């Protein structure tokens, strides 16, 4: 029997009506003879609302309790989806991530998947049931519920597809992966397919249509991931490994991210080991650092700048101030009003001209570049938050992405 894992995101299950129409689609797939495992996200903005509620009660909620709370969003959606399927006369059962066999480590709120035991899923499929799994969560060795990081339902879906040897379909509120966020660039084009590498760069630089870890998992297990609209019957985008490299010297897409803050340590003494002294305590505090730049030193001191998520600034500052004191840095400056824009495409780094065109475009739009970072297939500029959207539109036009063929 063919087997498919279908994931429906928060916006696709935001209301009773939407749950009902998604249920109808799921039933059609099952009626056509496919085994179906559905992974659901929490309805609409439930996760954000639960986080807000928790902070209204305790400004520093424990991560374990947050996971107990946040996992209920997905649990609720899974039960409601099964009720909708029952109302249509389908055989279906909801399972929590743990019941579905997902085991994670104990790092609450950003747990890693250790293992999936698909026995229960297989037994339910044998019974001819549609299974609706609550995404974003698993169980630790101590049987505590742990969530696997924002956007984790995407990762859940790919992980189950890998464990079951099933196809993987991610259904969302846009028709696929576009050359840029279609809400920002109205003439952005939907891509027919995209490589894991390019999608991973776009996702980790802010294109939230796919969670980066889901793309990574897909690449490790070589699972093609179809991204498509949850109710429209339009062809989506296939993320896979076998992308035709013909004409590879091109920009494939533009990602942007408003969630960027910049922290600078001024006048850091320039001696061996200093970078480790700075970044070890940040890692120990589970703070994830993105771009890092160290300037050329002058008089044996240097400035060191890195970026983190805006939400992490409050937690990072005391740690950084402490480090600054220990290593004898003069000053710590934080700027929370930053953002970033990235161009991504296989081969852009080895072909001259892309970086120059990017910088020229931003300069002509009057946008100041604060930091530049690159990978082999990406160039990222950190720019002021209020110029990010202009930057995306200007770059989309400069690289003529509106002309991409479908
Ligand atoms: P879901 O609730 O289904 O998980 P998300 O909100 O996480 O959906 O992701 C879908 C959103 O991602 C779209 O509504 C779109 O605004 C945004 N997005 C950002 N970049 C892109 C892109 N390159 N292609 C498509 N969508 C994108
Ligand atoms: N509900 C979780 C979140 O908002 C997981 C997900 O939707 O993928 O991050
Ligand atoms: Mg998402």
């Amino acid at each position: 029997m063919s087997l498919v894992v279908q994931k429906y995101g928060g916006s696709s299950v935001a209301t009773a009506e939407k749950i009902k129409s998604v249920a109808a689609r799921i039933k059609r797939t099952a009626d056509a003879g496919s085994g179906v495992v559905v992974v659901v996200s929490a309805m609409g903005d439930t996760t954000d609302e639960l986080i807000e509620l928790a902070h209204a009660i305790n400004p520093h909620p424990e991560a374990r309790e947050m996971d107990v709370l946040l996992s209920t969003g997905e649990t609720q959606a899974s039960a409601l989806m099964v009720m909708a399927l029952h109302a249509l006369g389908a055989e279906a059962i909801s399972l929590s991530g743990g019941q579905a066999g997902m085991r994670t480590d104990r790092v609450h709120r950003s747990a890693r998947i250790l293992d999936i035991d698909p026995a229960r899923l297989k037994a339910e499929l044998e019974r001819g049931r549609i299974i609706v799994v609550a995404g974003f969560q698993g169980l630790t060795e101590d049987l505590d519920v742990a969530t696997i990081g924002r956007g984790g339902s995407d990762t859940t879906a790919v992980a189950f597809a890998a464990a079951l040897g099933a196809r993987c379909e991610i259904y969302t509120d846009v028709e696929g992966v576009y050359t840029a966020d279609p809400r920002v660039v109205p003439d952005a084009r939907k891509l027919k397919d995209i490589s894991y590498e390019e999608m991973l760069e776009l996702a980790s630089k802010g294109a939230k249509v796919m969670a980066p870890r889901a793309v990574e998992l897909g690449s490790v297990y070589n699972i093609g991931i179809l991204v498509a609209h949850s109710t429209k019957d339009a062809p989506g985008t296939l993320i896979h490994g076998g992308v035709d490299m013909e004409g590879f010297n091109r920009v494939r897409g533009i990602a942007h991210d408003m969630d960027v803050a910049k922290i600078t340590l001024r006048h850091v003494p320039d001696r061996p080991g200093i970078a480790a002294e700075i970044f070890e305590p940040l890692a120990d505090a589970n703070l994830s650092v993105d771009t890092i730049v160290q300037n050329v030193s002058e008089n044996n001191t240097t400035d060191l700048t890195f970026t983190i998520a805006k939400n992490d600034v409050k937690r990072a500052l005391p740690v950084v101030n402490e480090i600054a004191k220990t290593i004898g840095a003069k000053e710590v400056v934080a700027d929370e009003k930053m953002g970033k824009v990235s161009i991504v495409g296989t081969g852009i780094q080895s072909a001259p001209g892309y970086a120059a065109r990017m910088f020229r475009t931003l300069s002509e739009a009057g946008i100041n570049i604060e930091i530049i970072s690159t990978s082999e297939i990406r160039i990222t500029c950190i720019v002021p938050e209020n110029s990010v959207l202009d930057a995306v539109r200007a770059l989309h036009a400069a690289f003529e992405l509106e002309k991409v063929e479908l």
Side-chain angles (χ1 to χ4, degrees), residues 41-42 47 74 136 150-154:
S41 287
T47 308
E74 270 66 14
F136 178 51
R150 296 308 302 266
S153 297
D154 293 343

Side-chain angles (χ1 to χ4, degrees), residues 194-195 197-198 242-253 343-352 354 376-378 399 401:
I194 186 166
S195 68
E197 292 78 11
E198 289 171 326
V243 177
D244 183 9
M245 298 305 250
E246 203 55 41
F248 70 100
N249 275 340
R250 40 96 177 96
V251 174
R252 202 60 173 142
I343 60 171
V344 170
T346 311
I348 63 171
Q349 185 92 305
S350 52
Y354 286 98
E376 251 158 52
I377 62 167
R378 172 184 53 78
F399 289 101
L401 295 183

